[in-house]
Structure formats: C-alpha cells, structure tokens
Amino acid sequence: MLVRIFSGAVNGIEATTITLEVNILNGAKFTIVGLPDNAVKESQQRIDSALREIGSRIPGKRVIINMAPADVKKEGSSYDLPLAIGILAANEQITSGTLESFIILGELSLNGSLVPVKGVLPIAINAHNEGFKHMIVPLENANEAAVVEGLQVFGFQHIREVIDFFNQKQDFSPTIFNPLQSEPENTTFYDFKDVKGQETVKRALEIAASGAHNLLMIGPPGSGKTMLARRLPGILPPMTVEESLETTKIHSVAGKLPRNCSLITTRPFRAPHHTISNIALIGGGTFPHPGEISLANNGLLFLDELPEFQRSVLEVMRQPLEDRKITISRARYSVDYPANFMLVASMNPCPCGYYNHPTKECNCTENAVQHYLSKISGPLLDRIDIHIEVVPVELDKITSIHDAEPSHKVRQRVIAARQIQTERFKAYPGIHCNAQMNPALLRQYCPLNSQCLSLLKMAMEKFGLSARAYDRIIKLSRTIADLEATSDISQQHIAEAIQYRSLDRDSWGR
C-alpha cells in the first residue's frame, strides 16, 4: 500500500516541506531514496528497535521510501518518526485517512520514546504558511511549535502514543502556547547605577544603543571596558515579535534554544573567547550551522581584547557588518543566515596596556605597539561607528556613596529614540534603526545645512576619513538628534559624532 506523509527540512533558517512516499511490495529490501544522509539511512535500525519495543516490527517485505523533493539533501534524525508512521500506515497498522494533513517530526530512541529535534519553529511557520493545520512533534518541542497561531500542535513522549492518536484509541489535546515557557524578561542585567564616573563612555553607549551602532572601547586594564559592555544589554529596547521569532528560529536551527524555552524575548549577548575559529564565528562547517554573529542577531556581539583574536577571524566580519547577513556556499547549495548584530569590542592601547596611563608607565617598544595595533585592519575599524577612550576612574569617584543614573532611565531614552526611527522607517521592510540606513535613506532623512557640511568637510580633511566614515558620522549624528527628539541635524550633533571618529590609530600608539 502506498501512503504519503509530510515532514520538513531546514535550509538556513527557512524550511521546506518534505514529502515521504512509503510503499511496501513483495521482496526483502529496505531502500530510502531522495538524497538521505547517513543519519537518515541509519533510521532503519532505530525504527526497527522502537517498533519491537511496542510489539510491532518493520514488515519482512520490500520497503521503498522516496523523500521529495529529490534535489534537497535530507539530514538528521528528525525523520525517524514520520518514516516509522509511514511504514506502519503502508502496512495498514495505522489509519492513514488523516495523515496528509499533518507535518510530523521526531527522533526515535531505541525504546520508542521521542527525542527533541532542532529547527522545529521554522518548520512550523512553513507548515502554517503552506496550509497545514496539524503538527506532531516530541513533547519537549511542542511549546516551541505552538508559538505559531493557527497550527494545532500535538506533543508526544512515545511512538505508542502517536499510533494510538492516529488509530483514535485515545484522545489527546493540542498544546496551547504557554508564554511562561518563553524566555523571561531578564531583570538581572548589570545596572549602570553601579558605574562610578565614565560619563563620556556611558553617553557613547547610550548613543550606540539608540541607533544600533558598532562601538570600540580603548583603555588600560581595569578601566572598566568589560564592565561597561556587560551593562549595555540592560539599556537596549525590547524586541519586536518579528525579531523574537527570527532570533528563536536561529537558535532553534543551531540547537541553542534554552531548555524549556519556546520563544526568545531578550536580545542575545554573545561574548566568544578570542581563541574562536573563523567557522565558529561566522558559521559553516560540513553541515552548515549558524555562527556567533548569527546567534547575536538582533542583539550584541562582544569581542573582548580585540587584538588577541586571529586577524583572519576578524577579517571575515567585514562583509557581514556591511550586508547584515552571511552566505555560506557549498558546491550544490548555499544558505543564508541573518547577521544583524551590534558589534561592541574592547582593547588595550598597547601590549602591556598602560600607554597613556595617568600613573603607570608603558614599557612597550615602538615595534611591539605597531605589531599589536596592526592586528586590527583599517577596513574593519572603518566599519565601527564609535571609537571611545576609557580612562581609569579617579579614586574619589570610586569611593563615592552616590549611585549613578540607573539603566532603566537610560533605557527609556533609548526606547524613545528607537520609536522615532521605527516610525521613520515603517515603509521600508528590514530597516529598523539609523545604523541600517542605505545611501538613499541617508539623503532623504539626513539633510545637512551649509554649516554642518563645512564642519564635516573640515573633519574629513583633518583626520583623513573615508567615504564610509562620512556616511557613518551622518548616521551617528542622526541618532544623537533623535535622542534630543529634534527633526534637524545641527552642528553640535555633527561635532559630537565627529569626536567619536577622531580617536584614530595614531593616537593609540606613539
């Protein structure tokens, strides 16, 4: 008997419906065709063991399984459950009348219990878009799939329950999305109220958060660079529903979704160690997976001690910083992962870290300093909007008993500035903040009067800035004006934006 059953495959963070055709004929051979990988081919052993645990077995006949479309590679163990159900239905052990209205996913253990799988959310979204009304997944994936409205999701713990469900031997209720299993709003972020002094740096962080601008902090050890960076998530605006879904899809595909969490609602903060490889940072591998820049999508990527990263690792970020996506190409296919992240980095001004320190002497040679700084290329620095020097805090400020301005007050101003940008770019899909403006939007929303142009021209000539830096200064000044809720960019906005680009490489060394 020939039956059809449906499952899903993920390409990047988008999904494709996979049709499984199962037929049982006379003979004695088990065959799977349609570009299955080794994990799919090995499913026969898991299915056979699981079925024997419930008193059944793969029929001793010729079993032919076709996985379509044939040009899409089928990877992973998530096809175990649909293959097993298809075999039972083709052998008339399951009522097959309703099978074609379901998308089915799940890995089988040898005792028949269902193991959670990756990429459930993008497959659920695709299933809803293609008109499917029902979905069967392992119980631990049920709340993740139930995020999609209009799709009835059934979560099961064992293949026996799935068989009873299709044979109507037992009633099962669909999973109702439980928002309590979403990632809770993180109230444990470090607070700016504990940061004594550093008013200039905190101002730069507020501007960066308001327009999603990249930022680099340069300063000696112990000046507070890492401490300040870890407080930045606490002033970022909340994610929109679209951002939450996109971020959750990426983490689901990567298998990084926190346990018992079905929807990520707080902006990611990723801080990889400087020993990270190119592939771990940007994604890829034999079977492509998202890297750190994609896991930081809609959030922050913090690179501490920037020159300690391999130069080749840093250089691969140049294209994603411009395009806000990464394309990983293979001989037969390519996948795209979003990479819309804020880069926040920190570094010392020299190998020992004490160049230009008010009390400690730097013992680095000229060559050592230049070698240290040469690890960061000019093109990468050019893509960082804000360069800010972090100086050690004076003792009287450290010992002060008065709290600084708390994060929640700074966040209110950031949210207000982002709301202005949301309204400004509502007619432009994919553009949400000033840092994402293209040249056409820059001309439309950032007109400069003659005084501003004169000041900007003077800065370009004095500091030898590039055309990219010219655009980024204007974007930065637009964000500063938004923080003041003013429609026009003034000279003071341009001047403040310029000062964040005037800390050039030469000023860090001798």
Side-chain angles (χ1 to χ4, degrees):
M1 177 180 176
L2 175 65
V3 299
R4 289 201 315 166
I5 197 164
F6 296 96
S7 189
V10 176
N11 180 44
I13 64 167
E14 303 302 326
T16 302
T17 298
I18 301 298
T19 302
L20 308 177
E21 297 176 316
V22 183
N23 202 2
I24 297 178
L25 305 171
N26 292 328
K29 188 176 182 181
F30 189 99
T31 306
I32 303 178
V33 297
L35 283 183
D37 72 350
N38 286 334
V40 178
K41 294 176 182 177
E42 291 167 355
S43 64
Q44 178 185 358
Q45 310 305 321
R46 294 189 293 271
I47 292 170
D48 187 51
S49 176
L51 293 182
R52 289 178 184 273
E53 285 291 316
I54 61 172
S56 185
R57 58 178 293 177
I58 295 176
K61 296 183 179 181
R62 185 181 181 189
V63 179
I64 302 176
I65 300 170
N66 178 45
M67 308 180 77
D71 60 342
V72 175
K73 190 169 181 61
K74 321 305 185 301
E75 300 173 347
S77 54
S78 63
Y79 299 104
D80 289 358
L81 181 59
L83 287 174
I85 297 301
I87 290 169
L88 292 174
N91 201 37
E92 299 183 350
Q93 293 176 258
I94 284 182
T95 303
S96 60
T98 60
L99 276 179
E100 293 193 11
S101 67
F102 284 83
I103 289 283
I104 303 177
L105 295 171
E107 177 184 339
L108 286 173
S109 63
L110 295 183
N111 66 359
S113 59
L114 301 185
V115 180
V117 295
K118 302 176 184 178
V120 169
L121 181 58
I123 292 174
I125 293 172
N126 180 69
H128 177 262
N129 292 340
E130 293 197 355
F132 287 91
K133 301 298 182 184
H134 313 288
M135 187 171 186
I136 289 177
V137 295
L139 184 61
E140 291 185 41
N141 292 126
N143 204 54
E144 178 186 345
V147 169
V148 182
E149 294 183 2
L151 185 68
Q152 279 195 328
V153 177
F154 296 88
F156 296 103
Q157 293 181 301
H158 199 278
I159 190 174
R160 183 184 292 109
E161 297 174 348
V162 184
I163 295 170
D164 290 344
F165 171 78
F166 281 114
N167 288 335
Q168 299 181 350
K169 291 184 177 180
Q170 188 176 347
D171 290 331
F172 295 92
S173 300
T175 300
I176 305 300
F177 172 62
N178 180 8
L180 295 179
Q181 288 189 21
S182 300
E183 189 181 44
E185 183 73 18
N186 195 335
T187 57
T188 61
F189 282 129
Y190 300 106
D191 202 301
F192 272 122
K193 71 178 182 180
D194 302 320
V195 180
K196 307 297 175 66
Q198 303 292 14
E199 302 304 327
T200 302
V201 186
K202 286 189 282 188
R203 168 67 175 174
L205 289 171
E206 180 180 340
I207 294 170
S210 299
H213 300 285
N214 302 322
L215 178 141
L216 172 65
M217 292 180 284
I218 306 107
S223 58
K225 302 184 296 296
T226 303
M227 174 193 68
L228 286 159
R230 292 194 177 276
R231 281 159 172 76
L232 187 53
I235 65 172
L236 291 175
M239 286 204 289
T240 64
V241 174
E242 292 77 11
E243 288 176 326
S244 291
L245 286 172
E246 184 180 59
T247 302
T248 306
K249 284 166 68 176
I250 295 169
H251 284 73
S252 175
V253 168
K256 302 288 187 181
L257 203 59
R259 189 176 180 83
N260 297 324
C261 169
S262 57
L263 186 67
I264 295 176
T265 57
T266 56
R267 295 188 181 274
F269 180 85
R270 307 292 298 185
H273 192 260
H274 63 258
T275 56
I276 192 171
S277 68
N278 299 25
I279 291 175
L281 183 66
I282 67 167
T286 305
F287 304 106
H289 277 75
E292 288 292 333
I293 63 173
S294 294
L295 293 171
N297 187 62
N298 296 319
L300 290 174
L301 178 68
F302 176 48
L303 302 184
D304 200 7
E305 304 297 343
L306 191 64
E308 300 302 326
F309 288 78
Q310 296 181 38
R311 178 159 180 160
S312 61
V313 172
L314 297 179
E315 292 305 297
V316 297
M317 288 196 302
R318 285 161 54 177
Q319 179 259 337
L321 282 171
E322 287 290 329
D323 298 341
R324 301 187 180 275
K325 69 174 183 178
I326 180 71
T327 300
I328 299 169
S329 298
R330 295 292 181 265
R332 291 174 176 243
Y333 64 94
S334 64
V335 296
D336 292 330
Y337 293 118
N340 183 23
F341 63 95
M342 271 180 64
L343 174 63
V344 178
S346 69
M347 61 175 289
N348 297 328
C350 64
C352 77
Y354 294 112
Y355 174 75
N356 210 24
H357 193 282
T359 60
K360 296 184 179 181
E361 183 180 355
C362 172
N363 297 315
C364 300
T365 65
E366 176 78 21
N367 288 338
V369 173
Q370 293 306 319
H371 176 72
Y372 181 75
L373 298 179
S374 67
K375 294 181 180 180
I376 308 171
S377 69
L380 178 61
L381 286 174
D382 212 26
R383 288 165 167 82
I384 300 178
D385 304 340
I386 299 176
H387 306 164
I388 187 74
E389 185 175 10
V390 184
V391 297
V393 181
E394 298 173 357
L395 183 60
D396 59 342
K397 291 184 178 179
I398 295 176
T399 56
S400 171
I401 61 173
H402 300 292
D403 287 340
E405 184 179 30
S407 290
H408 72 89
K409 289 189 175 180
V410 181
R411 192 183 193 220
Q412 289 173 0
R413 296 195 295 269
V414 171
I415 291 173
R418 284 286 186 104
Q419 286 175 340
I420 293 173
Q421 295 165 49
T422 299
E423 182 65 23
R424 176 182 297 139
F425 304 124
K426 64 181 180 181
Y428 305 96
I431 307 292
H432 305 290
C433 52
N434 290 333
Q436 299 171 345
M437 281 192 288
N438 56 38
L441 294 177
L442 205 63
R443 290 190 297 270
Q444 182 175 353
Y445 293 110
C446 304
L448 301 180
N449 58 35
S450 58
Q451 292 85 356
C452 291
L453 285 170
S454 176
L455 180 60
L456 188 51
K457 181 180 178 181
M458 187 189 316
M460 293 287 291
E461 294 173 348
K462 180 177 179 180
F463 300 113
L465 301 176
S466 67
R468 180 184 288 112
Y470 178 90
D471 286 348
R472 289 181 179 268
I473 288 173
I474 297 176
K475 293 178 185 179
L476 203 56
S477 63
R478 178 68 271 170
T479 299
I480 296 169
D482 288 342
L483 276 168
E484 297 180 2
T486 59
S487 58
D488 296 327
I489 297 174
S490 68
Q491 277 184 289
Q492 70 181 50
H493 303 143
I494 291 288
E496 185 174 0
I498 289 171
Q499 82 173 21
Y500 296 126
R501 297 294 301 221
S502 60
L503 188 64
D504 59 20
R505 183 192 297 267
D506 293 335
S507 67
W508 308 346
R510 289 177 167 76

